[in-house]
Amino acid sequence: MSFQAQLKGRDLLTLADYSKAEIAYLLELAEQIKQKRKNGEVYQPLKGKTLGMIFEKSSTRTRVSFEAGIYQLGGTGLFLSANDIQIGRGEPISDTAKVLSGYLDGIMIRTFSQKDVEDLAENASIPVINGLTDDYHPCQVLADLQTIKEEKGKLDGLKLAYIGDGNNMAHSLMIGCAKMGLDVAIAAPKDYQPKKEIIELAKSFADGSEVIVTENAAEAVKDADVIYSDVWASMGQEAEQIEREKAFAEYQVNSTLFAHAKSDAIFMHCLPAHRGEEVTADIIDGPQSVVFQEAENRLHAQKALMVALMS
């Protein structure tokens, strides 16, 4: 069976559900789609298809990349805020899933609870894509892996160091890196480390690579090929900003920390970034930063995902 046949009609709730070969296929397809766009080729395998995009959390990159992506593939995207549909007024997710399945060809949802995404997928008869939850951000990590492969020419045998909050990005990076053969080291304060069950899940996927969680940022960054950071206070955590600034004061990615990595290490960030907090301006705006290439690849990786699941 081809990978196209394997993936057609599937959901993407977390990268844990996809094999190394399936992820590699999506990355290869993303590279092909990116090249087609750069060559000015019209590529519209989703002509006549419609993607519903449910946003309970606002976004720049997720909305624009999915909406532009489905349009470029020949389809239509419908933006649905919580106020636009009855799910925001108490309609059961199961009812919403069944109704939308009769209208659409796919659903992307960006929300808080992972269970809500799972319930939506369980009750929908069309593909459901997790655009972000408090636990996972698989679409971002597909773009991240694509970017690393572009820059380094491979994934197997590299080391990625993530410095900051043990949040949805840390969770998805651990899983994605472990699946694709990268060592991954997470450095976070004791009270902000990734969930233990997700650490163990990521370790179960590691075949010769390592998944390390530490409080020591310099130890995590040592000999890293990629250094990754994220905001200290994510959406919904604004009230904790001052408390988090104190907790993460020793976890800023700056030139001193960067010096522990390999000399050709690249810097990545899922954006938006707060210069002067989790990363200094000289790093994120410097020559080793690939954050805008990474952001662009959200478009290409998600186009590949939509083609694979919806065509």
Side-chain angles (χ1 to χ4, degrees):
M1 182 186 292
S2 69
F3 286 114
Q4 180 63 61
Q6 276 182 227
L7 293 172
K8 183 177 180 180
R10 291 262 298 273
D11 303 313
L12 176 65
L13 308 183
T14 162
L15 289 176
D17 300 330
Y18 281 53
S19 69
K20 178 177 183 177
E22 288 169 340
I23 295 171
Y25 168 77
L26 288 171
L27 297 179
E28 181 64 32
L29 183 57
E31 291 171 15
Q32 294 171 9
I33 289 173
K34 183 175 184 177
Q35 193 58 50
K36 287 179 188 294
R37 179 162 170 77
K38 292 195 178 301
N39 293 342
E41 295 180 41
V42 176
Y43 177 64
Q44 297 190 326
L46 298 186
K47 195 168 184 178
K49 303 279 188 178
T50 305
L51 177 75
M53 305 181 300
I54 300 173
F55 282 87
E56 293 190 304
K57 277 189 175 184
S58 59
S59 168
T60 298
R61 279 149 292 276
T62 299
R63 177 173 179 181
V64 176
S65 56
F66 268 107
E67 194 162 345
I70 187 69
Y71 173 78
Q72 291 167 15
L73 293 169
T76 300
L78 296 178
F79 174 78
L80 304 168
S81 74
N83 293 326
D84 293 325
I85 56 177
Q86 296 302 323
I87 199 171
R89 298 181 179 89
E91 180 175 74
I93 289 175
S94 57
D95 287 1
T96 298
K98 291 166 185 172
V99 169
L100 293 181
S101 294
Y103 301 148
L104 306 170
D105 300 287
I107 301 169
M108 187 286 300
I109 180 169
R110 181 179 170 95
T111 188
F112 296 88
S113 168
Q114 180 70 15
K115 186 176 186 307
D116 285 351
V117 179
E118 292 169 357
D119 288 347
L120 187 70
E122 183 179 346
N123 289 280
S125 58
I126 55 177
V128 171
I129 298 169
N130 179 358
L132 174 141
T133 65
D134 288 345
D135 285 335
Y136 297 106
H137 198 354
C139 291
Q140 178 66 55
V141 173
L142 282 176
D144 295 339
L145 292 170
Q146 181 185 353
T147 306
I148 296 168
K149 190 177 178 187
E150 286 175 347
E151 286 295 306
K152 297 297 182 181
K154 65 175 185 174
L155 295 173
D156 271 307
L158 298 178
K159 178 183 177 181
L160 181 145
Y162 171 92
I163 312 300
D165 190 19
N167 58 14
N168 49 12
M169 279 310 314
H171 293 161
S172 287
L173 282 166
M174 285 192 300
I175 291 170
C177 288
K179 287 255 184 185
M180 301 310 291
L182 292 86
D183 290 335
V184 57
I186 307 292
K190 182 179 179 181
D191 293 333
Y192 296 91
Q193 294 192 344
K195 292 183 177 181
K196 290 182 180 179
E197 63 269 26
I198 298 179
I199 297 171
E200 293 308 311
L201 178 64
K203 286 182 176 181
S204 74
F205 298 130
D207 184 11
S209 58
E210 286 189 292
V211 177
I212 300 165
V213 178
T214 177
E215 295 178 51
N216 189 319
E219 176 188 324
V221 168
K222 188 176 188 310
D223 296 327
D225 300 280
V226 182
I227 299 178
Y228 202 114
S229 185
D230 192 8
V231 295
W232 291 339
S234 297
M235 194 178 301
Q237 299 171 335
E238 290 82 2
E240 303 173 24
Q241 180 69 32
I242 294 175
E243 177 186 343
R244 283 172 170 267
E245 284 178 8
K246 292 177 182 176
F248 287 96
E250 302 300 317
Y251 293 84
Q252 182 185 73
V253 178
N254 51 37
S255 57
T256 301
L257 185 63
F258 218 90
H260 293 279
K262 290 182 180 176
S263 60
D264 62 347
I266 58 175
F267 175 74
M268 302 180 73
H269 193 300
C270 55
L271 301 179
H274 297 160
R275 289 164 175 79
E277 290 183 19
E278 74 272 8
V279 60
T280 53
D282 61 310
I283 295 296
I284 192 170
D285 297 320
Q288 287 168 275
S289 173
V290 296
V291 297
F292 297 111
Q293 176 184 343
E294 176 188 5
E296 180 192 332
N297 282 340
R298 287 289 302 276
L299 172 69
H300 310 301
Q302 288 161 189
K303 285 169 74 174
L305 185 62
M306 288 187 283
V307 169
L309 304 187
M310 293 172 58
S311 66

